[in-house]
Amino acid sequence: MKFSHTLMLNSNPDWEGHYVDFVGLKKLINNLSSQQQDNDYSYRDDFYDEMMESASHNLDRAGETFYKEVEQATESVSKFYHAKRYELEKDLGLLLNAIAPQRNLVSNGSLASLEVSPLLPRNRGFEAKRTHRRCRSAFDIEQIRREICDLYTRYNNLRNYGDLNCEAIRKIV
C-alpha cells in the first residue's frame, strides 16, 4: 500500500487540514525530478550552455520552493501538535485535581474513605449515608474512568498524528 493511502486511512478526520500535504509535496518532488532529467543533456555548445544555466537557475528556485514548503508544513504540524499537547496536559491536570480528594479511594480501594455529601439529610441514619456514599462513589468512579479513557484516546490520536507526520516528512525528504 502506498504511504499516501496509509496516511489517508490512519489520519484523524477531525484534524484533516493539519496533516502534511504528502501528495502535494510528492508532486513537487516529481516536478523537480523531471526538470532535473530535462537538464541532463549530453550535447553541449554555447546555446545549450546558456539554456542549461537558465534551467539550473530555475531548478535551484524550485528546490528552494520545495524546502520552504517542507519547512512550512513542518512548522504547521509542530504548532498544531503542541497546541493539542497543551490541551491534553491541561485536561490531565484538571482531572488529577478532581481526583485529589479521592486518592485514598484509589490507593486503598475503600469506598468508606469518601466524605458524605452535605446535601444528604442527617437524620436518615448510618445505612442511608453509607448507601449514598457508595452511589456517589460509583458515579464518581465511572465519571473518572470515562475521563481517563477520553484522555487515553486523545493521547493515542496525538501520538498517531505525530508518527504519521514524521513518517511523511521522512519519506519526502
Side-chain angles (χ1 to χ4, degrees):
M1 178 184 293
K2 290 188 172 193
F3 182 74
S4 59
H5 292 107
T6 301
L7 183 63
M8 185 178 66
L9 292 174
N10 292 313
S11 63
N12 185 336
D14 296 335
W15 300 348
E16 185 178 340
H18 299 283
Y19 285 87
V20 170
D21 182 13
F22 182 77
V23 173
L25 289 173
K26 197 71 171 171
K27 285 180 183 177
L28 193 56
I29 289 173
N30 291 337
N31 289 342
L32 285 171
S33 178
S34 67
Q35 285 179 9
Q36 178 65 38
Q37 289 173 358
D38 292 344
N39 291 341
D40 292 339
Y41 298 123
S42 58
Y43 177 74
R44 301 231 187 254
D45 65 15
D46 290 337
F47 175 73
Y48 285 110
D49 286 342
E50 287 177 26
M51 235 172 65
M52 289 292 289
E53 189 173 312
S54 174
S56 177
H57 180 67
N58 290 341
L59 187 61
D60 289 343
R61 276 192 289 152
E64 288 175 17
T65 302
F66 169 73
Y67 285 112
K68 284 180 184 176
E69 290 288 327
V70 170
E71 185 177 351
Q72 187 178 27
T74 304
E75 285 178 18
S76 174
V77 165
S78 180
K79 284 179 184 176
F80 183 79
Y81 178 88
H82 288 295
K84 287 296 181 182
R85 182 177 172 195
Y86 175 77
E87 286 177 21
L88 194 61
E89 288 173 352
K90 186 178 101 180
D91 291 347
L92 178 61
L94 291 172
L95 179 62
L96 290 175
N97 287 338
I99 293 173
Q102 300 172 4
R103 285 199 178 159
N104 291 338
L105 171 71
V106 174
S107 63
N108 66 18
S110 170
L111 294 176
S113 64
L114 288 177
E115 293 182 24
V116 176
S117 170
L119 300 175
L120 185 67
R122 297 197 184 269
N123 61 357
R124 292 178 108 189
F126 177 76
E127 208 50 45
K129 289 180 184 178
R130 189 172 179 183
T131 304
H132 174 72
R133 195 177 318 163
R134 280 193 186 126
C135 292
R136 179 180 167 140
S137 297
F139 174 78
D140 288 346
I141 290 170
E142 183 61 27
Q143 182 65 27
I144 290 168
R145 186 191 69 75
R146 275 192 231 114
E147 292 292 328
I148 290 171
C149 289
D150 178 59
L151 284 171
Y152 179 75
T153 300
R154 290 169 50 204
Y155 165 76
N156 279 331
N157 286 341
L158 187 60
R159 188 181 66 182
N160 186 41
Y161 173 82
D163 290 345
L164 284 172
N165 282 295
C166 283
E167 185 67 13
I169 295 293
R170 187 190 69 76
K171 286 185 174 285
I172 287 170
V173 176

